[in-house]
Amino acid sequence: MEPTNTRDPEYYHKVVDCQYACPAHTPVPEYIRLIAAERYSDAYMINWQSNVFPGVLGRTCDRPCEPACRRGRVDDEPVAICRLKRVAADNKGDVTERIPQGPFKPNGKKVALIGGGPASLTVARDLAPLGYEIHLFDEQVAGGGMMRSQIPSFRLPETVLNEEVDFILNMGIHTHFRHYVDSMKDVLSKDYDAVFVGTGAPRGRDLKLPGREEGDANIHIGIEWLASVAFEHTHSIGKKVIVLGGGNTAMDCCRTSRRLGGEEVKVVVRSPFEDMKASPWEKEDAMHEDIPILNNHVPKTFETKDGKLIGMTFEKVEAQYDENGKRSLVPTGEEPVFIEADDVLIAIGQVNTFPWIERDLGIEFNEWGMPVVERKTFQSTLSKVFFGGDAAFGPENVITAVAQGHDAAVSINLYCEGKDVGERPSPLTNLIHQKMGIHEWSYDSSVVNDQRYVVPQADKSLTLRDRKKEVELGFNPEVAFKEAERCLNCDVQTVFTENKCIECDACMDVCPTSCITFTDNEDEEELRKKLLVPAENLTQDILVSSTLKTGRVMVKDEDVCLHCGLCAERCPTSAWDMQKYLYNTAKAAV
Amino acid sequence: MSYLKPKFRHPHLPKNELGYTKTEYEGSLSTLCAGCGHDSISAAIVQACFEMNIAPHQVAKMSGIGCSSKTPTYFLGNSHGFNSVHGRMPSVATGASMANKKLKYFGVSGDGDSASIGMGQFAHVIRRNLNMVYIVMNNGCYGLTKGQDSATADEGSKNKTGHINPFQAIDLASLAIELGATFVAQSFSGDKHQLIPLIKAAMEHNGFAFINVISPCVTFNNNVGSTKSYDYVREHIAATSTVDFVPTHDEITTTYSEGEIKDIAMHDGSIIRLKKLTNDWDPENRLSAASAMQNARANGEILTGLLYINEKAANLHQTFKTTDIPLNRLTEKELCPGSATLSELMKDLQ
Ligand SMILES: Cc1cc2nc3c(=O)[nH]c(=O)nc-3n(C[C@H](O)[C@H](O)[C@H](O)COP(=O)(O)OP(=O)(O)OC[C@H]3O[C@@H](n4cnc5c(N)ncnc54)[C@H](O)[C@@H]3O)c2cc1C
Ligand SMILES: Cc1ncc(C[n+]2csc(CCOP(=O)(O)OP(=O)(O)O)c2C)c(N)n1
Ligand code: SF4
Ligand code: SF4
Ligand code: SF4
Ligand SMILES: [Mg+2]
């Protein structure tokens, strides 16, 4: 196998599993160390640069980083990355001065942002400091998109959202709220240099079953109902509620129902419990609020009496899997189940619609009615129009919308400067020595054994009474420190210099997780098999040195490296060194 | 500096027949200098015991004084151990073995510990053929006391201070053959492929098994001009053979295409399989082993591998016809045979 090219910026980036998995590539271990050092504002700013909404995301992020976290491969559970982010947001001081402050020197360019969700706000945050005149349109009364209309206040207090939305709007963004954009043609006829579409996936799927029309007064589309609650149009719901669907929207619907008068709230899903789309922690939170989840129930009819909804019938099924693992739900043949209900909430998915974009403008749509968008640049087939967030590739989550917003802003800036949007700027990287003295490192290299700490919650007797009362209380600084110490500092890289190695084997012998092997070279497949413990996790790279004096190579499996620095401590010649790798994705503005 | 090894291990560490991973054979984190050859030997011992499915509580580690003699802290943390007086490990090991011959005795010593202050003890434990493994971690200096030349330092070898050793070296492996050791091997800390099977074979040997392992002292004797440095040893090493140790119940699967293969049967049915690299050498012939050593020395080579083995000699327990029962388990019944038996005995002595 060829020696590893560690100069490729992605090599060491990939070793920082959490950062690599984060759509916005937030430098996680860097902010976790700052939290441990009680430097909350600094930790906040690191987050803010990458993900723009640390306070929001520290409470609501889908956390793709956590399943990826290295700690989860050696310990029972990953680091509580997401909830540590909240600690930074909760304990930060006044950071307003560290946020870019307008007025910025105008660059003479004008950009329209349609929709005011996280995607558009990120574009605004990146372009405003460069002097763009930015016009943001949203039909809602305030910015934030679904973070405001959908994510319930008991998970995300309005004050937290407002602060972070305002950081951006205060940069001198021209906001046009309560303004539904009904024609792209109109927008294009104005003098905008570029247009960004961040309108999300605004429509909830309906369920056409017998009885749907008769029961209509008590049958609601989940996301419409949640928005109506958020904007204070709806204040109550019946005592018996059925929520259809197994995703996160269903979880928010049922938990909101419990707070608006729902006493017997049930979630009913077609699929088995394990296959539900909702995150495990959201299911737990719902069940903790005495909401049963009935699985393997396929809805059949809405039942009404005297023109009023009285409940629903369901067919019981069981999941069967064919040899390819494809699932089919097969009826068990049991009697249909009737469940009483005063109200039904349908939370079975969202769809994108673009009725306001005329189809003759040069913006192509595919067979599913989605715009044709370039994956890296987010440019549509009309070169001045860009898409991002849920509007680009369908419903995802806030962090994805932010990441796409950053990338789209880079494109818009390139486009407005007349440059090729395909020529992406490289990430900013830096590799820095961590040695402070003989066997002294600048980071806590020792590995603590603590199990993951649980985030405390307010008592449900309080939270169920007030839909705005936040359920999670967040870690206090003491627990946050302990949780932060669980982080393995995967960004502190083990950097190997072949010509210093005397092949004493010390590193191989000391490595607690048997990552290092000195052996004869082979092709990758063979080499992986020959290691002290075979490197079977193919998603993780192996670091291969060039040929050493004895003709062997050093091979390090990155998979379960603890970044404990013992190899570097035991190396007599500093052939191993612990070096911190900083990786920042290129953004339009810093 | 780290003083504790993290608790986490590779989730797919292999297990041996006892259901243990290598972890159960490890000791505390070493406090020796980074890169010390002794740590590699400790790692080889851990690996050998793991692969041999040794129950850790069935092993007793014995040592004297020196960096080398400290290493039992860094391997087999679940075994018995006795860190004795400088050069006196053999007599403590003899005593322990007399008290309980069921344990495997693992002696670790240094070139100072064995070739200077402990020379007398070394000679006598060989002479008695005590059933034990005796490893000398040989770095040609007194590492622990800051690197003075030891009795195994080669004549003309330069140490870190620039001092050139004026005396002839004591060649411990040749001496062991001369004194009648029944298993003699030589190896290098930087060659685990060779060292691990040698340790395994030594553990199965019936009698005294001596392994002289060249083990560079990175701090005081790894300089240019030293004949015990990593570079010098790697350049001057010559092996008698490649070594494979095949336990009784394993089938021999390795195939050799060329060279002379020699299988040596151990008393328990295990096999040491050698692919000979040196001509005119028969590991079961003392004279031939001794002359192979002399020839290598004349050529400026360090001969490694199995040098000599004799599985047939009686070990100390066989010679003494000692009891199989550990002394602390002997009851009054075995210890007081009764007046009738005693009178019989007395008759012989009158
Ligand atoms: C119930 C629910 C709970 C969720 N919970 C989470 C969570 O906990 N964590 C998470 O990460 N994600 C969650 N999501 C998903 C997340 O909210 C979205 O993925 C994210 O907000 C998408 O951002 P966006 O900027 O693409 O669009 P959106 O946030 O959808 O914002 C689009 C905005 O555009 C406006 N708009 C649309 N069309 C027009 C038009 N023609 N003219 C003017 N304005 C228009 C809309 O009013 C809206 O304000 C949840 C979604 C739902 C439905
Ligand atoms: C009776 C006695 N004499 C002298 C010493 C001092 N001393 C300690 S270690 C040592 C030499 C150790 O050399 P070696 O056995 O080669 O071990 P190394 O440190 O080289 O591994 C000496 C002379 C001692 N501890 N006890
Ligand atoms: S241990 Fe820390 S640095 Fe490593 S993946 Fe997890 S959170 Fe990231
Ligand atoms: S500890 Fe250092 S010198 Fe020794 S083998 Fe490892 S990298 Fe090479
Ligand atoms: S002084 Fe020499 S022998 Fe002792 S620990 Fe250090 S390197 Fe090893
Ligand atoms: Mg010594």
Side-chain angles (χ1 to χ4, degrees):
Chain A
M1 198 181 161
E2 289 294 305
T4 306
N5 176 17
T6 55
R7 283 170 186 271
D8 176 348
E10 293 309 306
Y11 182 78
Y12 287 134
H13 182 204
K14 215 175 150 192
V15 175
V16 197
D17 293 290
C18 49
Q19 182 176 15
Y20 192 70
C22 172
H25 305 305
T26 306
V28 173
E30 182 75 359
Y31 82 67
I32 290 185
R33 279 189 298 271
L34 290 170
I35 290 170
E38 297 179 62
R39 288 170 57 187
Y40 304 115
S41 297
D42 294 339
Y44 183 85
M45 289 313 295
I46 297 255
N47 270 288
W48 191 80
Q49 304 288 359
S50 298
N51 55 51
V52 194
F53 301 100
V56 172
L57 288 164
R59 294 168 161 84
T60 65
C61 189
D62 265 355
R63 344 171 176 168
C65 53
E66 291 190 18
C69 169
R70 175 179 305 265
R71 179 105 191 179
R73 295 200 293 276
V74 289
D75 195 0
D76 293 340
E77 286 192 87
V79 176
I81 301 170
C82 179
R83 292 328 190 234
L84 283 172
K85 191 193 308 295
R86 172 178 170 172
V87 172
D90 285 0
N91 295 287
K92 69 178 186 305
D94 184 2
V95 294
T96 25
E97 296 216 328
R98 300 172 68 170
I99 306 274
Q101 299 288 313
F104 305 102
K105 191 165 158 269
N107 71 351
K109 310 268 186 203
K110 220 169 138 179
V111 176
L113 309 177
I114 320 296
S120 288
L121 289 170
T122 303
V123 176
R125 175 253 173 275
D126 284 356
L127 294 185
L130 299 178
Y132 284 86
E133 179 181 324
I134 298 190
H135 292 266
L136 179 142
F137 300 87
D138 198 302
E139 62 176 315
Q140 294 180 6
V141 295
M146 286 195 166
M147 299 188 292
R148 187 177 300 280
S149 65
Q150 298 296 315
I151 303 181
S153 304
F154 58 83
R155 288 206 287 126
L156 173 60
E158 215 180 347
T159 46
V160 175
L161 177 64
N162 286 346
E163 178 180 40
E164 291 182 340
V165 170
D166 288 345
F167 281 153
I168 298 165
L169 298 184
N170 291 344
M171 290 180 186
I173 311 297
H174 303 268
T175 54
H176 308 267
F177 290 125
R178 298 175 202 272
H179 183 132
Y180 180 78
V181 175
D182 58 5
S183 163
M184 180 62 118
K185 198 172 182 171
D186 276 2
V187 177
L188 292 177
S189 69
K190 308 261 165 61
D191 58 347
Y192 296 113
D193 295 279
V195 177
F196 176 79
V197 181
T199 50
R203 190 182 295 162
R205 268 213 184 87
D206 200 353
L207 187 62
K208 300 279 188 222
L209 290 176
R212 172 71 183 83
E213 260 127 68
E214 295 87 300
D216 188 55
N218 296 92
I219 301 171
H220 321 275
I221 304 291
I223 67 168
E224 288 170 12
W225 182 79
L226 284 171
S228 154
V229 173
F231 295 118
E232 317 251 355
H233 305 308
T234 295
H235 299 280
S236 66
I237 196 160
K239 286 200 165 57
K240 292 180 181 154
V241 181
I242 293 175
V243 177
L244 300 175
N248 292 343
T249 306
M251 299 303 116
D252 284 339
C253 284
C254 66
R255 296 180 67 195
T256 303
S257 299
R258 284 286 278 134
R259 287 158 172 80
L260 295 198
E263 285 167 9
E264 284 176 41
V265 180
K266 296 188 175 77
V267 172
V268 188
V269 281
R270 308 168 72 230
S271 66
F273 186 80
E274 310 73 56
D275 294 1
M276 288 170 60
K277 285 217 183 77
S279 323
W281 55 89
E282 299 221 57
K283 292 196 269 187
E284 276 165 30
D285 287 344
M287 291 185 296
H288 174 71
E289 292 174 359
D290 313 311
I291 300 165
I293 297 176
L294 307 177
N295 62 352
N296 296 328
H297 280 63
V298 175
K300 283 291 160 192
T301 58
F302 294 98
E303 298 292 329
T304 55
K305 198 174 162 197
D306 307 328
K308 190 177 179 304
L309 182 86
I310 55 164
M312 287 188 73
T313 53
F314 297 89
E315 178 177 59
K316 286 189 80 176
V317 292
E318 67 188 12
Q320 288 180 6
Y321 299 86
D322 68 12
E323 60 280 10
N324 302 326
K326 200 172 159 343
R327 188 190 80 190
S328 47
L329 297 174
V330 184
T332 60
E334 289 164 80
E335 284 291 298
V337 181
F338 173 75
I339 300 175
E340 275 185 77
D342 302 319
D343 284 284
V344 172
L345 298 173
I346 304 174
I348 56 171
Q350 282 161 260
V351 278
N352 293 78
T353 56
F354 300 94
W356 56 280
I357 302 183
E358 296 82 352
R359 301 298 144 117
D360 57 358
L361 302 172
I363 303 173
E364 274 175 44
F365 284 78
N366 65 21
E367 50 193 304
W368 302 282
M370 290 296 285
V372 176
V373 178
E374 215 287 313
R375 283 257 163 207
K376 273 211 171 75
T377 62
F378 297 91
Q379 194 172 36
S380 74
T381 52
L382 183 64
S383 58
K384 64 151 54 165
V385 177
F386 298 81
F387 284 74
D390 289 356
F393 301 109
E396 284 282 351
N397 48 39
V398 174
I399 189 65
T400 305
V402 169
Q404 297 182 352
H406 280 311
D407 277 336
V410 168
S411 300
I412 293 170
N413 189 36
L414 289 170
Y415 175 79
C416 289
E417 289 183 343
K419 293 183 185 150
D420 179 358
V421 295
E423 295 266 315
R424 312 304 289 176
S426 335
L428 279 124
T429 64
N430 199 356
L431 202 55
I432 320 157
H433 235 7
Q434 297 301 297
K435 215 170 177 124
M436 306 279 283
I438 299 176
H439 303 162
E440 282 290 315
W441 307 110
S442 69
Y443 71 108
D444 277 347
S445 61
S446 64
V447 178
V448 300
N449 296 333
D450 299 22
Q451 295 281 305
R452 182 180 169 117
Y453 289 89
V454 178
V455 181
Q457 296 197 342
D459 198 90
K460 69 181 169 190
S461 63
L462 296 173
T463 58
L464 289 182
R465 242 187 284 147
D466 175 2
R467 88 172 163 88
K468 294 194 173 175
K469 170 100 186 113
E470 189 172 18
V471 172
E472 284 195 8
L473 301 173
F475 289 133
N476 65 32
E478 291 73 32
V479 179
F481 172 78
K482 289 190 195 161
E483 183 62 34
E485 287 291 289
R486 293 182 71 238
C487 172
L488 299 171
N489 302 286
C490 303
D491 59 339
V492 183
Q493 306 285 344
T494 54
V495 177
F496 185 72
T497 311
E498 2 319 61
N499 60 17
K500 286 188 181 171
C501 176
I502 59 167
E503 297 181 67
C504 68
D505 285 2
C507 50
M508 169 162 95
D509 295 337
V510 80
C511 177
T513 41
S514 315
C515 303
I516 302 170
T517 309
F518 287 81
T519 181
D520 296 328
N521 204 349
E522 305 273 359
D523 61 30
E524 175 161 1
E525 206 187 322
E526 282 308 304
L527 209 47
R528 280 179 174 270
K529 285 188 205 146
K530 275 174 62 163
L531 305 186
L532 283 186
V533 182
E536 283 160 357
N537 182 355
L538 300 181
T539 66
Q540 292 282 319
D541 287 336
I542 55 176
L543 172 70
V544 182
S545 75
S546 55
T547 310
L548 300 168
K549 245 188 185 169
T550 62
R552 301 178 301 171
V553 285
M554 185 293 303
V555 186
K556 181 197 168 211
D557 181 7
E558 300 283 8
D559 187 14
V560 291
C561 169
L562 301 173
H563 297 258
C564 61
L566 279 178
C567 52
E569 286 187 24
R570 299 305 298 162
C571 178
T573 63
S574 300
W576 283 112
D577 191 23
M578 304 308 291
Q579 299 185 12
K580 185 168 86 177
Y581 187 61
L582 281 178
Y583 177 103
N584 280 312
T585 54
K587 300 188 186 67
V590 193
Chain B
M1 186 173 118
S2 306
Y3 53 91
L4 283 177
K5 201 164 175 171
K7 160 193 109 163
F8 299 110
R9 293 291 176 273
H10 198 296
H12 304 305
L13 265 192
K15 290 198 167 129
N16 67 11
E17 284 170 12
L18 301 177
Y20 295 142
T21 64
K22 221 174 69 178
T23 317
E24 279 72 38
Y25 297 87
E26 288 171 357
S28 342
L29 193 59
S30 172
T31 59
L32 300 185
C33 306
C36 178
H38 300 353
D39 281 334
S40 287
I41 304 173
S42 299
I45 294 171
V46 165
Q47 189 65 28
C49 291
F50 163 76
E51 288 177 14
M52 293 280 283
N53 305 300
I54 307 272
H57 67 280
Q58 298 287 17
V59 179
K61 308 168 286 184
M62 316 302 286
S63 67
I65 296 293
C67 298
S68 35
S69 293
K70 281 173 71 178
T71 59
T73 312
Y74 316 129
F75 62 82
L76 297 178
N78 293 310
S79 300
H80 307 279
F82 197 113
N83 187 201
S84 74
V85 193
H86 203 16
R88 269 59 177 177
M89 176 269 277
S91 37
V92 179
T94 308
S97 180
M98 284 301 118
N100 183 353
K101 70 179 183 191
K102 296 236 154 106
L103 299 181
K104 283 205 181 293
Y105 290 91
F106 221 116
V108 173
S109 177
D111 42 324
D113 197 59
S114 284
S116 295
I117 193 168
M119 188 53 120
Q121 300 241 331
F122 179 68
H124 287 283
V125 74
I126 292 177
R127 193 176 139 259
R128 289 171 178 155
N129 201 22
L130 178 68
N131 207 2
M132 75 180 295
V133 178
Y134 192 117
I135 291 184
V136 167
M137 301 182 171
N138 190 341
N139 54 14
C141 70
Y142 297 170
L144 191 70
T145 53
K146 291 199 158 44
Q148 300 83 350
D149 290 338
S150 77
T152 65
D154 289 307
E155 188 178 346
S157 179
K158 192 194 270 185
N159 71 14
K160 193 185 177 185
T161 63
H163 172 70
I164 295 190
N165 176 35
F167 302 114
Q168 280 186 53
I170 291 177
D171 176 353
L172 286 171
S174 293
L175 183 66
I177 294 174
E178 168 60 30
L179 290 169
T182 51
F183 179 113
V184 180
Q186 193 150 258
S187 192
F188 169 45
S189 65
D191 185 359
K192 289 205 186 68
H193 278 300
Q194 184 191 55
L195 182 54
I196 292 169
L198 284 176
I199 295 174
K200 289 165 140 182
M203 281 194 286
E204 283 309 287
H205 173 63
N206 176 40
F208 185 82
F210 176 62
I211 313 179
N212 181 42
V213 190
I214 315 290
S215 175
C217 169
V218 276
T219 302
F220 298 114
N221 205 7
N222 193 36
N223 48 287
V224 175
S226 160
T227 60
K228 295 276 193 292
S229 69
Y230 279 103
D231 282 348
Y232 185 91
V233 176
R234 284 209 170 98
E235 278 158 26
H236 293 82
I237 212 157
T240 55
S241 61
T242 60
V243 194
D244 255 354
F245 177 76
V246 190
T248 17
H249 49 288
D250 280 16
E251 240 184 282
I252 298 177
T253 49
T254 337
T255 50
Y256 295 93
S257 49
E258 54 189 69
E260 196 190 327
I261 304 294
K262 184 166 176 81
D263 284 348
I264 298 172
M266 312 279 292
H267 71 289
D268 66 347
S270 330
I271 283 172
I272 308 177
R273 166 159 282 203
L274 306 171
K275 184 185 158 203
K276 291 208 325 187
L277 303 171
T278 312
N279 292 326
D280 313 324
W281 162 71
D282 175 1
E284 291 180 291
N285 179 324
R286 222 163 120 182
L287 260 180
S288 145
S291 72
M293 289 294 285
Q294 296 295 334
N295 287 338
R297 198 190 304 170
N299 294 337
E301 286 174 348
I302 305 163
L303 195 60
T304 63
L306 179 69
L307 303 172
Y308 175 67
I309 183 166
N310 171 6
E311 278 288 288
K312 297 186 188 83
N315 71 42
L316 185 57
H317 286 282
Q318 290 163 331
T319 307
F320 280 177
K321 299 194 186 68
T322 55
T323 169
D324 282 344
I325 306 169
L327 298 190
N328 65 353
R329 305 261 170 84
L330 288 175
T331 60
E332 202 178 321
K333 192 168 131 264
E334 292 93 12
L335 291 172
C336 299
S339 47
T341 319
L342 277 177
S343 330
E344 268 315 292
L345 261 176
M346 284 308 285
K347 273 188 205 153
D348 278 358
L349 300 172
Q350 274 157 5

